[in-house]
Each structure stands twice: as structure tokens, then as C-alpha cells.
């Protein structure tokens, strides 16, 4: 059964347009989830809204939205007033520009979506837009309205389809200087950097998400299975926290030694092989001298 489309509309590049559908590219369906329950009855609990001052339960017809102007002082916003500022969706992804992918700061990337043609009639126009982007090696920037909010979306080819990723707005990002300004600039020796570089080389590889293992999720599933079958859960003994006081140079050397132990162990064999070859040469020269003497 095909997944249900999250959004339907039109992808447009100047006068070229085609119907498309959006599907969320991620899912949390496989994650283990827990519900709040009553320990005495085993029944699931439901949440209620409580007035923070009176403690009374607030019924649904009494609930409203308010913006906090100052501590404890709110201005109430009516649903009709919110509708007045909501952007009406025209269900169109109108491509505004194309930019090099390396210019998009990864911090702006938000939610990914798969974009596919909607129907056979849309395939030709969809393929033209997709393949043109492949040839130019560019990412399209467009605007789209999702859940009554306007978003900027970055679109790039992905296999036979397109990957659209909504982008955060600048006001949603924190300034890195706020967190990095207090980082000191110690004097690091060239030897330390070179040692660290060698460690990096021993761990060189390629990006393979298939190797990612969510060990906590696996442990949760095992825990639920054991508990449901009536088995007791043994709690682990708390381990000792390692000391943070280390000699940086020693730690680098030990790290490199640990990674390169096998290579180091091979050297004695090479020496023995060399010794055997030298002994053979001496024996050959000795035999030759005896023959010459005879």
C-alpha cells in the first residue's frame, strides 16, 4: 500500500510546471513509546488542562491562546485573528533561484521530504526539471506553505525523484559566538597535531548509515519483552567515572599505539625473513669459495 501524501500541489520552474506530491522522508514509527498509566489499575492516563492559579480543570470551551507580554500578563488572541494573518496556500512550489549546494549552511536544514510526480502526465515535466538540476549541480530554493506557515525549501535530485528539505529562518539559529567566544586558544605543539592526524588516518572510512546501531532502542525493546514475559530486570552496578586528568601527549601516543599494534607486531617477522636471506647468501658464497679452492 502506497504511503499517504503529506502535501499535494504544483512544482513550477518559470513556465514549466507539473503536479507533485510530498512524503515525509523520516519516521518515528519504529521507536519504542511509553504511555503514562495508573499503577493501581493499569489504565492509561489522560491529560487535563489546569488553571495555574486556581488549580481548577479548564474545559475545552474555556481554552484560548495568549501571548505573554510580561511575567503573568497575557494578551488573548482569537482564532479568527490568527486566520487573518495566516498565509493562504496556493499549493505551488515556485522555484525562485538555484544555488551551489556547498553554500547552504547545514544548520539551516530542517525537515526532509521526498518529492515525486503526481500521475503519469506529470512525469515528463518532472524529469526535465530534475535532470536540468543534475546537469547544473545546483539546489533549487523555493517557498511552500505547510501547516499554515510559509517555509523556504531546498530541492535537489535524489535518484529518480527529488529531495526537498525545509530550511530554518535566520532568527531560529543561535549565534555560534555566544558559545565559542570563551574557548581559549592554547599553544598546541606540531607533534600533537601530527599524532592526532595519524589517529584520524587509522579511523578513515566512508559514510555508511547502515552501520548505525541504536543500541538504546534495542535495549528498550529487550527490556519490554523481558518484563512482559514476567522476568525480573537486573539493574547494573554503577560504574566508576574515569578521571578527566590526563596527559594529552601520552593519551595521543597510547591511542596511536593501540590502533597500530598489529602493524608493529609484523616488523619482527620482516627482520627474521631478512636474516634468513642474509644467511643463505653467506652459505652460497662459502660454497662458491670451496669450489674455487678445489
Amino acid at each position: 500500500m502506497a504511503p499517504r501524501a503529506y502535501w499535494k500541489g504544483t512544482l513550477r520552474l518559470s513556465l514549466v510546471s507539473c503536479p507533485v506530491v510530498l512524503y515525509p522522508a523520516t519516521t518515528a514509527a519504529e521507536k519504542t513509546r511509553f504511555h503514562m498509566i495508573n499503577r493501581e489499575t493499569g489504565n492509561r492516563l489522560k491529560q487535563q488542562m489546569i488553571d495555574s492559579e486556581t488549580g481548577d480543570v479548564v474545559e475545552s470551551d474555556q481554552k484560548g491562546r495568549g501571548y505573554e507580554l510580561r511575567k503573568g500578563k497575557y494578551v488573548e488572541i482569537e482564532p479568527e485573528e490568527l486566520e487573518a494573518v495566516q498565509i493562504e496556500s496556493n499549493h505551488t512550489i515556485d522555484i525562485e533561484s538555484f544555488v551551489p549546494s556547498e553554500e547552504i549552511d547545514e544548520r539551516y536544514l530542517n525537515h526532509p521530504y521526498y518529492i515525486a510526480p503526481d500521475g503519469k502526465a506529470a512525469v515528463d515535466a518532472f524529469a526535465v526539471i530534475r535532470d536540468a538540476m543534475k546537469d547544473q549541480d545546483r539546489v533549487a530554493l523555493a517557498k511552500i506553505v505547510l501547516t499554515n506557515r510559509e517555509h523556504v525549501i531546498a530541492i535537489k535530485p535524489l535518484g529518480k525523484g527529488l529531495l526537498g528539505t525545509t530550511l530554518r529562518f535566520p532568527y531560529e539559529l543561535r549565534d555560534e559566538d555566544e558559545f565559542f567566544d570563551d574557548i581559549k586558544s592554547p599553544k598546541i605543539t606540531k607533534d600533537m597535531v601530527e599524532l592526532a592526524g595519524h589517529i584520524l588516518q587509522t579511523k578513515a572510512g566512508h559514510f555508511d548509515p547502515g552501520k548505525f546501531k541504536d543500541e538504546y532502542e534495542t535495549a528498550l525493546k529487550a527490556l519490554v519483552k523481558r518484563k512482559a514475559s514476567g522476568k525480573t530486570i537486573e539493574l547494573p552496578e554503577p560504574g566508576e567515572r574515569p578521571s578527566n586528568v590526563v596527559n594529552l601527549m601520552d593519551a595521543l601516543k597510547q591511542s596511536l599505539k593501540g590502533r597500530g599494534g598489529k602493524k608493529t607486531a609484523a616488523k619482527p617477522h620482516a627482520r627474521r625473513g631478512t636474516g634468513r636471506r642474509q644467511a643463505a647468501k653467506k652459505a652460497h658464497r662459502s660454497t662458491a669459495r670451496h669450489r674455487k679452492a678445489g
Side-chain angles (χ1 to χ4, degrees), residues 30-293:
E30 297 300 318
K31 283 189 174 292
T32 301
R33 296 180 179 275
F34 297 100
H35 298 289
M36 299 300 294
I37 62 172
N38 184 337
R39 287 178 179 271
E40 293 185 1
T41 65
N43 297 330
R44 184 175 173 180
L45 302 179
K46 66 176 183 179
Q47 293 181 326
Q48 289 183 311
M49 304 297 287
I50 305 294
D51 189 299
S52 60
E53 295 295 328
T54 66
D56 297 334
V57 175
V58 179
E59 301 300 333
S60 58
D61 60 344
Q62 295 176 302
K63 298 175 186 176
R65 294 175 182 267
Y67 180 83
E68 190 172 26
L69 297 173
R70 56 184 182 273
K71 188 66 174 178
K73 180 64 176 179
Y74 297 86
V75 57
E76 186 176 351
I77 305 296
E78 298 294 339
E80 313 85 64
E81 296 169 331
L82 281 176
E83 292 176 5
V85 297
Q86 285 179 355
I87 299 174
E88 185 177 352
S89 174
N90 59 4
H91 287 271
T92 299
I93 305 175
D94 206 344
I95 297 175
E96 298 183 345
S97 63
F98 293 90
V99 301
S101 59
E102 62 270 16
E103 291 186 2
I104 299 179
D105 189 328
E106 293 182 357
R107 294 174 296 176
Y108 283 90
L109 301 178
N110 199 359
H111 297 296
Y113 297 91
Y114 295 136
I115 304 177
D118 188 11
K120 294 181 179 179
V123 172
D124 288 349
F126 183 88
V128 167
I129 297 174
R130 179 199 63 206
D131 293 350
M133 292 172 64
K134 284 183 180 179
D135 289 344
Q136 296 292 324
D137 193 22
R138 293 264 169 159
V139 176
L141 294 183
K143 287 186 177 180
I144 184 174
V145 176
L146 299 172
T147 60
N148 298 321
R149 278 186 173 268
E150 188 175 58
H151 302 267
V152 177
I153 188 169
I155 305 170
K156 65 179 182 180
L158 180 66
K160 294 181 180 180
L162 295 171
L163 176 68
T165 305
T166 55
L167 303 181
R168 297 182 176 91
F169 290 100
Y171 71 84
E172 295 180 276
L173 288 187
R174 291 175 171 176
D175 187 354
E176 70 271 17
D177 292 341
E178 181 181 350
F179 307 94
F180 298 160
D181 269 357
D182 292 337
I183 297 178
K184 306 299 181 184
S185 299
K187 291 183 178 180
I188 302 297
T189 66
K190 184 179 179 181
D191 290 343
M192 288 184 177
V193 177
E194 288 179 351
L195 278 173
H198 288 311
I199 296 171
L200 265 62
Q201 290 175 8
T202 65
K203 291 180 175 289
H206 296 282
F207 180 74
D208 182 7
K211 294 181 178 179
F212 298 170
K213 304 298 179 185
D214 190 342
E215 295 182 2
Y216 181 68
E217 180 65 23
T218 302
L220 277 180
K221 283 182 167 59
L223 169 67
V224 172
K225 187 176 181 180
R226 285 181 61 85
K227 196 70 184 288
S229 63
K231 296 179 180 179
T232 58
I233 306 300
E234 297 180 1
L235 300 180
E237 293 290 334
E240 294 184 4
R241 297 185 63 180
S243 172
N244 290 327
V245 181
V246 295
N247 182 292
L248 182 56
M249 180 59 88
D250 288 345
L252 289 168
K253 289 179 178 178
Q254 289 297 323
S255 297
L256 188 59
K257 183 179 179 181
R259 295 294 300 179
K262 293 182 180 179
K263 294 180 180 178
T264 304
K267 290 182 179 179
H269 296 287
R271 291 195 194 100
R272 286 196 293 270
T274 303
R276 284 194 294 268
R277 287 194 296 272
Q278 290 175 345
K281 287 181 180 179
K282 288 180 180 179
H284 177 74
R285 285 197 298 268
S286 177
T287 303
R289 281 196 296 269
H290 285 301
R291 287 176 181 170
K292 186 175 181 182

